[in-house]
Amino acid sequence: MLPIREIKPKNARTKRFLDNKGPQATENPRRTLFLRYTTCSDILQMVLADLYALKRPLAIKFSKKNDIHPFEDPSSLEFFSEKNDASMMVYASHSKKRPHCMTIVRFFGFKVLDMVEMNVEAETMRTLAQFKNAKAAVGLKPLLSFSGSAFESPTPNAYTLAKSIFLDLFKGPDVQNIDVEGLQYMIHFSVDEEEREEVKPQIHMRCYLIRTKKNPNSTTPRVEVEEMGPRIDFRMGRIKEADPDMLKEAMRKPKSQEPKTKKNVETDIIGDKVGRIHLGKQDLSELQTRKMKGLKRSRDVADDEEAFAGAEDEVVFDPAKRSKVEV
Protein backbone atom coordinates (compact mmCIF):
# COMPACT_ATOMS: atom_id res chain seq x y z
CA MET A 1 0.00 0.00 0.00
CA LEU A 2 1.44 3.37 -1.01
CA PRO A 3 1.79 5.93 1.80
CA ILE A 4 -0.67 8.81 1.74
CA ARG A 5 1.08 12.03 0.76
CA GLU A 6 1.14 14.56 3.58
CA ILE A 7 0.65 18.22 2.69
CA LYS A 8 1.99 20.78 5.15
CA PRO A 9 -0.21 23.92 5.35
CA LYS A 10 1.41 27.27 4.64
CA ASN A 11 -1.20 29.42 6.37
CA ALA A 12 -4.21 29.15 8.69
CA ARG A 13 -6.72 29.06 5.85
CA THR A 14 -5.01 26.08 4.24
CA LYS A 15 -4.81 24.35 7.62
CA ARG A 16 -8.56 24.74 8.19
CA PHE A 17 -9.24 23.38 4.70
CA LEU A 18 -6.99 20.36 5.24
CA ASP A 19 -8.44 19.68 8.69
CA ASN A 20 -11.94 19.69 7.24
CA LYS A 21 -10.82 17.42 4.41
CA GLY A 22 -8.87 15.04 6.64
CA PRO A 23 -10.12 12.23 8.88
CA GLN A 24 -12.99 13.17 11.18
CA ALA A 25 -14.42 11.52 14.28
CA THR A 26 -17.79 11.69 12.51
CA GLU A 27 -17.24 11.49 8.77
CA ASN A 28 -19.13 13.54 6.23
CA PRO A 29 -21.79 11.80 4.11
CA ARG A 30 -20.34 9.87 1.20
CA ARG A 31 -20.32 11.84 -2.03
CA THR A 32 -20.47 9.95 -5.33
CA LEU A 33 -18.75 11.02 -8.53
CA PHE A 34 -20.15 9.88 -11.91
CA LEU A 35 -17.68 9.59 -14.79
CA ARG A 36 -17.72 8.08 -18.28
CA TYR A 37 -15.18 6.49 -20.60
CA THR A 38 -14.39 7.70 -24.13
CA THR A 39 -17.02 5.24 -25.39
CA CYS A 40 -20.23 5.06 -23.41
CA SER A 41 -23.46 3.54 -24.73
CA ASP A 42 -26.86 5.21 -24.52
CA ILE A 43 -27.99 2.54 -22.05
CA LEU A 44 -25.16 3.43 -19.67
CA GLN A 45 -25.84 7.13 -20.00
CA MET A 46 -29.45 6.56 -18.95
CA VAL A 47 -28.27 4.39 -16.05
CA LEU A 48 -25.90 7.11 -14.88
CA ALA A 49 -28.66 9.73 -15.13
CA ASP A 50 -31.07 7.62 -13.05
CA LEU A 51 -28.50 6.75 -10.39
CA TYR A 52 -27.51 10.40 -10.21
CA ALA A 53 -31.18 11.32 -9.67
CA LEU A 54 -31.39 8.85 -6.77
CA LYS A 55 -28.15 10.08 -5.20
CA ARG A 56 -28.79 13.84 -5.32
CA PRO A 57 -27.65 16.07 -3.65
CA LEU A 58 -24.68 13.91 -2.58
CA ALA A 59 -23.54 13.40 -6.19
CA ILE A 60 -21.40 15.06 -8.86
CA LYS A 61 -21.83 14.15 -12.54
CA PHE A 62 -19.27 14.91 -15.23
CA SER A 63 -20.11 14.67 -18.93
CA LYS A 64 -16.57 14.94 -20.30
CA LYS A 65 -14.99 11.76 -21.73
CA ASN A 66 -12.07 10.25 -19.79
CA ASP A 67 -9.58 7.69 -21.06
CA ILE A 68 -9.22 5.73 -17.80
CA HIS A 69 -8.86 2.00 -17.19
CA PRO A 70 -9.71 1.46 -13.48
CA PHE A 71 -8.26 -2.05 -13.14
CA GLU A 72 -5.01 -1.14 -14.91
CA ASP A 73 -4.15 2.34 -13.61
CA PRO A 74 -6.46 3.86 -10.95
CA SER A 75 -4.27 6.92 -10.36
CA SER A 76 -6.58 9.16 -12.42
CA LEU A 77 -9.58 8.00 -10.39
CA GLU A 78 -7.73 8.85 -7.19
CA PHE A 79 -6.99 12.31 -8.58
CA PHE A 80 -10.70 12.91 -9.29
CA SER A 81 -11.60 11.59 -5.83
CA GLU A 82 -9.25 13.98 -4.03
CA LYS A 83 -10.13 16.92 -6.28
CA ASN A 84 -13.87 16.58 -5.66
CA ASP A 85 -13.76 15.15 -2.12
CA ALA A 86 -15.66 12.03 -3.26
CA SER A 87 -15.39 8.66 -1.52
CA MET A 88 -17.48 6.74 -4.10
CA MET A 89 -17.32 6.67 -7.89
CA VAL A 90 -19.44 5.17 -10.67
CA TYR A 91 -17.50 4.78 -13.91
CA ALA A 92 -19.28 3.79 -17.15
CA SER A 93 -17.58 2.31 -20.19
CA HIS A 94 -18.62 0.34 -23.26
CA SER A 95 -16.52 -1.97 -25.43
CA LYS A 96 -16.93 -5.09 -27.52
CA LYS A 97 -15.33 -7.27 -24.85
CA ARG A 98 -17.25 -5.71 -21.93
CA PRO A 99 -20.50 -4.15 -23.21
CA HIS A 100 -22.46 -1.76 -20.98
CA CYS A 101 -19.89 -2.03 -18.20
CA MET A 102 -20.35 -0.09 -14.96
CA THR A 103 -17.59 -0.03 -12.33
CA ILE A 104 -18.32 1.10 -8.76
CA VAL A 105 -15.21 2.21 -6.86
CA ARG A 106 -14.84 2.82 -3.14
CA PHE A 107 -12.02 5.01 -1.78
CA PHE A 108 -10.27 5.38 1.54
CA GLY A 109 -8.01 8.36 2.06
CA PHE A 110 -8.51 9.19 -1.64
CA LYS A 111 -6.92 5.85 -2.53
CA VAL A 112 -8.79 2.98 -4.20
CA LEU A 113 -9.97 0.59 -1.50
CA ASP A 114 -11.95 -1.90 -3.60
CA MET A 115 -14.06 -1.98 -6.73
CA VAL A 116 -16.58 -4.17 -8.48
CA GLU A 117 -17.43 -4.37 -12.19
CA MET A 118 -20.95 -5.14 -13.42
CA ASN A 119 -22.45 -5.35 -16.90
CA VAL A 120 -25.94 -3.93 -17.45
CA GLU A 121 -28.49 -6.05 -19.31
CA ALA A 122 -29.73 -3.73 -22.06
CA GLU A 123 -32.87 -5.78 -22.87
CA THR A 124 -34.41 -5.58 -19.40
CA MET A 125 -33.28 -2.07 -18.46
CA ARG A 126 -36.07 0.45 -17.73
CA THR A 127 -35.52 4.09 -16.78
CA LEU A 128 -37.24 6.36 -14.28
CA ALA A 129 -39.11 8.17 -17.06
CA GLN A 130 -40.65 4.94 -18.37
CA PHE A 131 -42.67 4.52 -15.15
CA LYS A 132 -45.48 7.06 -15.31
CA ASN A 133 -45.99 7.79 -11.63
CA ALA A 134 -44.76 10.10 -8.89
CA LYS A 135 -41.16 9.98 -7.76
CA ALA A 136 -39.57 10.24 -4.35
CA ALA A 137 -38.40 13.65 -3.18
CA VAL A 138 -34.75 14.62 -3.58
CA GLY A 139 -32.42 13.91 -0.67
CA LEU A 140 -34.46 11.23 1.11
CA LYS A 141 -32.85 8.10 2.53
CA PRO A 142 -34.12 4.89 0.91
CA LEU A 143 -34.89 1.62 2.59
CA LEU A 144 -32.43 -1.05 1.41
CA SER A 145 -33.23 -4.75 1.30
CA PHE A 146 -31.27 -7.74 -0.01
CA SER A 147 -32.50 -11.25 -0.77
CA GLY A 148 -30.53 -14.23 -2.01
CA SER A 149 -28.20 -16.79 -0.49
CA ALA A 150 -25.19 -15.36 -2.35
CA PHE A 151 -25.47 -12.09 -0.40
CA GLU A 152 -25.46 -13.98 2.92
CA SER A 153 -22.53 -16.28 2.16
CA PRO A 154 -20.25 -16.82 5.20
CA THR A 155 -17.20 -16.75 2.92
CA PRO A 156 -16.42 -13.43 1.18
CA ASN A 157 -17.16 -13.45 -2.55
CA ALA A 158 -18.09 -11.07 -5.35
CA TYR A 159 -21.71 -10.82 -4.17
CA THR A 160 -20.89 -10.00 -0.55
CA LEU A 161 -18.53 -7.31 -1.86
CA ALA A 162 -21.28 -5.97 -4.14
CA LYS A 163 -23.71 -5.86 -1.19
CA SER A 164 -21.22 -3.89 0.91
CA ILE A 165 -20.61 -1.40 -1.90
CA PHE A 166 -24.34 -0.98 -2.63
CA LEU A 167 -24.94 -0.24 1.06
CA ASP A 168 -22.32 2.51 1.05
CA LEU A 169 -23.56 3.85 -2.28
CA PHE A 170 -27.21 4.39 -1.29
CA LYS A 171 -27.28 4.67 2.51
CA GLY A 172 -26.99 8.47 2.59
CA PRO A 173 -26.11 10.53 5.68
CA ASP A 174 -26.15 9.04 9.17
CA VAL A 175 -29.13 10.19 11.25
CA GLN A 176 -30.17 9.70 14.86
CA ASN A 177 -33.95 9.97 14.37
CA ILE A 178 -36.11 9.00 11.38
CA ASP A 179 -39.37 10.65 10.37
CA VAL A 180 -41.88 8.14 9.07
CA GLU A 181 -43.00 10.64 6.43
CA GLY A 182 -39.49 10.54 4.97
CA LEU A 183 -39.64 6.81 4.20
CA GLN A 184 -41.02 7.23 0.68
CA TYR A 185 -39.16 4.60 -1.36
CA MET A 186 -37.07 1.46 -1.08
CA ILE A 187 -34.38 -0.19 -3.20
CA HIS A 188 -34.42 -3.97 -3.36
CA PHE A 189 -31.53 -6.12 -4.58
CA SER A 190 -32.07 -9.80 -5.31
CA VAL A 191 -29.73 -12.43 -6.70
CA ASP A 192 -30.69 -15.62 -8.50
CA GLU A 193 -29.65 -19.03 -7.24
CA GLU A 194 -26.55 -20.48 -8.87
CA GLU A 195 -27.46 -23.22 -11.35
CA ARG A 196 -24.10 -23.74 -13.05
CA GLU A 197 -20.64 -22.81 -11.84
CA GLU A 198 -19.58 -21.30 -15.16
CA VAL A 199 -22.62 -18.96 -15.24
CA LYS A 200 -22.81 -16.33 -12.51
CA PRO A 201 -26.31 -15.40 -11.34
CA GLN A 202 -27.64 -11.93 -12.07
CA ILE A 203 -28.32 -9.14 -9.58
CA HIS A 204 -31.73 -7.48 -9.98
CA MET A 205 -32.19 -3.91 -8.79
CA ARG A 206 -35.76 -2.66 -8.29
CA CYS A 207 -36.98 0.63 -6.81
CA TYR A 208 -40.44 0.91 -5.23
CA LEU A 209 -42.56 3.76 -3.91
CA ILE A 210 -44.02 3.14 -0.45
CA ARG A 211 -47.72 3.91 -0.21
CA THR A 212 -49.70 3.98 3.05
CA LYS A 213 -53.46 3.60 2.72
CA LYS A 214 -56.24 3.65 5.28
CA ASN A 215 -57.11 0.27 6.76
CA PRO A 216 -60.81 0.02 7.71
CA ASN A 217 -60.21 -2.99 9.98
CA SER A 218 -57.32 -1.57 11.99
CA THR A 219 -55.75 1.68 13.13
CA THR A 220 -52.47 0.65 11.50
CA PRO A 221 -52.32 1.81 7.86
CA ARG A 222 -51.93 -0.69 5.04
CA VAL A 223 -48.56 -0.47 3.29
CA GLU A 224 -48.28 -1.07 -0.46
CA VAL A 225 -45.39 -0.71 -2.89
CA GLU A 226 -45.40 0.55 -6.45
CA GLU A 227 -42.44 0.27 -8.81
CA MET A 228 -41.07 3.66 -9.78
CA GLY A 229 -37.82 2.72 -11.57
CA PRO A 230 -35.13 2.35 -12.55
CA ARG A 231 -35.15 -1.38 -13.24
CA ILE A 232 -31.63 -2.70 -13.79
CA ASP A 233 -30.20 -6.22 -14.07
CA PHE A 234 -26.47 -6.69 -13.55
CA ARG A 235 -24.07 -9.47 -14.51
CA MET A 236 -21.01 -9.72 -12.29
CA GLY A 237 -17.61 -8.99 -13.83
CA ARG A 238 -14.17 -8.37 -12.38
CA ILE A 239 -13.60 -7.38 -8.76
CA LYS A 240 -10.71 -5.89 -6.80
CA GLU A 241 -10.69 -6.77 -3.13
CA ALA A 242 -9.32 -4.45 -0.49
CA ASP A 243 -5.79 -4.75 0.82
CA PRO A 244 -5.98 -6.33 4.32
CA ASP A 245 -3.86 -3.62 5.98
CA MET A 246 -5.77 -0.84 4.26
CA LEU A 247 -9.12 -2.44 5.14
CA LYS A 248 -8.08 -2.76 8.79
CA GLU A 249 -7.16 0.91 8.85
CA ALA A 250 -10.46 1.86 7.18
CA MET A 251 -12.49 -0.16 9.71
CA ARG A 252 -10.71 1.29 12.73
CA LYS A 253 -12.94 3.36 15.01
CA PRO A 254 -11.71 6.46 16.82
CA LYS A 255 -11.28 6.15 20.57
CA SER A 256 -13.85 8.89 21.15
CA GLN A 257 -16.58 6.70 19.62
CA GLU A 258 -15.70 3.55 21.55
CA PRO A 259 -18.05 2.93 24.48
CA LYS A 260 -16.48 3.47 27.87
CA THR A 261 -16.14 0.24 29.79
CA LYS A 262 -17.50 0.11 33.33
CA LYS A 263 -16.00 -2.09 35.99
CA ASN A 264 -17.87 -5.37 36.56
CA VAL A 265 -20.48 -4.46 33.89
CA GLU A 266 -20.59 -6.48 30.66
CA THR A 267 -22.91 -7.02 27.74
CA ASP A 268 -23.67 -10.58 26.63
CA ILE A 269 -24.15 -11.81 23.07
CA ILE A 270 -27.89 -11.10 23.20
CA GLY A 271 -27.32 -7.46 24.15
CA ASP A 272 -28.42 -7.66 27.80
CA LYS A 273 -26.38 -5.80 30.40
CA VAL A 274 -24.95 -8.09 33.06
CA GLY A 275 -23.34 -6.82 36.29
CA ARG A 276 -21.16 -8.51 38.90
CA ILE A 277 -21.67 -7.60 42.59
CA HIS A 278 -19.08 -8.37 45.29
CA LEU A 279 -20.35 -8.85 48.87
CA GLY A 280 -18.52 -9.19 52.17
CA LYS A 281 -18.48 -12.24 54.46
CA GLN A 282 -22.03 -13.17 55.46
CA ASP A 283 -23.19 -14.58 58.82
CA LEU A 284 -25.43 -17.45 57.78
CA SER A 285 -26.67 -17.97 61.35
CA GLU A 286 -28.68 -14.76 61.11
CA LEU A 287 -29.86 -15.46 57.60
CA GLN A 288 -33.61 -15.02 57.27
CA THR A 289 -34.89 -18.06 55.40
CA ARG A 290 -38.16 -18.25 53.64
CA LYS A 291 -41.00 -19.84 55.63
CA MET A 292 -42.43 -22.56 53.45
CA LYS A 293 -46.08 -23.38 53.93
CA GLY A 294 -45.39 -27.04 53.20
CA LEU A 295 -43.02 -27.30 56.19
CA LYS A 296 -45.62 -26.17 58.73
CA ARG A 297 -47.41 -28.84 60.81
CA SER A 298 -51.11 -29.07 60.16
CA ARG A 299 -53.79 -29.18 62.88
CA ASP A 300 -54.57 -32.86 62.29
CA VAL A 301 -50.97 -33.86 62.84
CA ALA A 302 -50.87 -31.90 66.11
CA ASP A 303 -54.04 -33.65 67.46
CA ASP A 304 -52.61 -37.09 66.65
CA GLU A 305 -49.41 -36.32 68.54
CA GLU A 306 -51.35 -35.23 71.66
CA ALA A 307 -53.51 -38.38 71.57
CA PHE A 308 -50.42 -40.55 71.31
CA ALA A 309 -48.83 -38.80 74.32
CA GLY A 310 -51.98 -39.41 76.45
CA ALA A 311 -52.08 -43.09 75.57
CA GLU A 312 -48.66 -43.71 77.16
CA ASP A 313 -50.02 -43.14 80.75
CA GLU A 314 -52.99 -45.60 81.06
CA VAL A 315 -55.38 -44.94 84.00
CA VAL A 316 -57.19 -47.92 85.81
CA PHE A 317 -60.03 -47.49 88.40
CA ASP A 318 -59.73 -49.67 91.56
CA PRO A 319 -63.15 -49.98 93.30
CA ALA A 320 -61.58 -51.16 96.62
CA LYS A 321 -59.44 -48.10 97.07
CA ARG A 322 -61.98 -45.95 95.28
CA SER A 323 -59.17 -44.08 93.62
CA LYS A 324 -57.45 -43.91 90.32
CA VAL A 325 -54.30 -45.94 90.00
CA GLU A 326 -51.76 -45.30 87.23
CA VAL A 327 -50.29 -48.35 85.61
Side-chain angles (χ1 to χ4, degrees), residues 29-217:
R30 289 182 176 271
R31 185 180 298 173
T32 305
L33 183 63
F34 293 86
L35 294 178
R36 53 169 296 184
Y37 184 53
T38 53
T39 55
C40 183
S41 62
D42 295 337
I43 296 295
L44 279 181
Q45 293 186 31
M46 290 187 292
V47 170
L48 290 183
D50 289 347
L51 295 181
Y52 173 73
L54 294 178
K55 281 290 299 180
R56 288 183 303 169
L58 299 174
I60 304 173
K61 187 174 181 294
F62 290 165
S63 58
K64 186 179 178 180
K65 300 178 181 180
N66 300 276
D67 188 7
I68 303 174
H69 299 276
F71 286 88
E72 298 176 6
D73 184 14
S75 59
S76 298
L77 300 181
E78 295 170 353
F79 168 78
F80 279 108
S81 173
E82 185 175 5
K83 191 73 174 177
N84 299 276
D85 193 15
S87 56
M88 299 286 297
M89 182 179 294
V90 179
Y91 186 73
S93 62
H94 178 72
S95 63
K96 184 177 180 180
K97 186 177 181 180
R98 295 182 177 89
H100 313 298
C101 181
M102 187 180 72
T103 305
I104 306 177
V105 189
R106 185 162 51 180
F107 298 92
F108 171 69
F110 307 117
K111 300 294 181 181
V112 173
L113 177 65
D114 48 16
M115 63 179 74
V116 60
E117 183 183 74
M118 293 176 288
N119 299 319
V120 177
E121 291 289 342
E123 294 78 10
T124 59
M125 193 271 172
R126 298 293 182 272
T127 63
L128 274 168
Q130 291 178 338
F131 292 89
K132 305 300 181 181
N133 53 9
K135 309 301 178 185
V138 177
L140 296 181
K141 287 172 63 70
L143 294 173
L144 298 176
S145 63
F146 295 84
S147 61
S149 58
F151 287 138
E152 307 299 331
S153 176
T155 57
N157 54 33
Y159 294 93
T160 57
L161 177 60
K163 177 182 177 180
S164 176
I165 291 180
F166 278 135
L167 284 173
D168 282 345
L169 181 64
F170 291 106
K171 76 171 187 177
D174 297 329
V175 294
Q176 299 296 331
N177 300 317
I178 298 177
D179 188 1
V180 180
E181 296 295 331
L183 302 177
Q184 296 185 6
Y185 75 106
M186 68 173 294
I187 303 176
H188 178 70
F189 296 93
S190 61
V191 59
D192 299 333
E193 296 298 329
E194 185 176 358
E195 298 179 355
R196 293 179 296 174
E197 295 183 358
E198 62 273 9
V199 179
K200 294 183 179 180
Q202 292 184 357
I203 297 178
H204 309 285
M205 174 183 171
R206 302 291 185 267
C207 300
Y208 300 96
L209 287 170
I210 299 176
R211 304 290 192 185
T212 54
K213 297 184 179 181
K214 187 176 180 180
N215 191 352
N217 300 325

Side-chain angles (χ1 to χ4, degrees), residues 223-273:
V223 179
E224 297 181 357
V225 293
E226 179 185 357
E227 189 172 2
M228 74 168 189
R231 181 192 301 174
I232 310 173
D233 295 333
F234 300 104
R235 287 185 294 106
M236 292 299 301
R238 296 174 294 176
I239 63 171
K240 178 187 179 299
E241 297 181 349
D243 181 77
D245 296 335
M246 193 174 185
L247 181 62
K248 182 179 179 181
E249 182 68 17
M251 298 295 291
R252 185 171 61 89
K253 294 183 179 180
K255 293 183 179 180
S256 60
Q257 291 186 355
E258 294 181 355
K260 296 182 179 180
T261 58
K262 295 183 180 180
K263 189 176 181 181
N264 299 325
V265 177
E266 300 175 353
T267 304
D268 56 9
I269 58 176
I270 305 177
D272 297 334
K273 187 179 292 185

Side-chain angles (χ1 to χ4, degrees), residues 279-289:
L279 300 176
K281 186 177 180 180
Q282 301 183 36
D283 187 3
L284 300 180
S285 62
E286 299 180 358
L287 182 64
Q288 177 64 43
T289 59

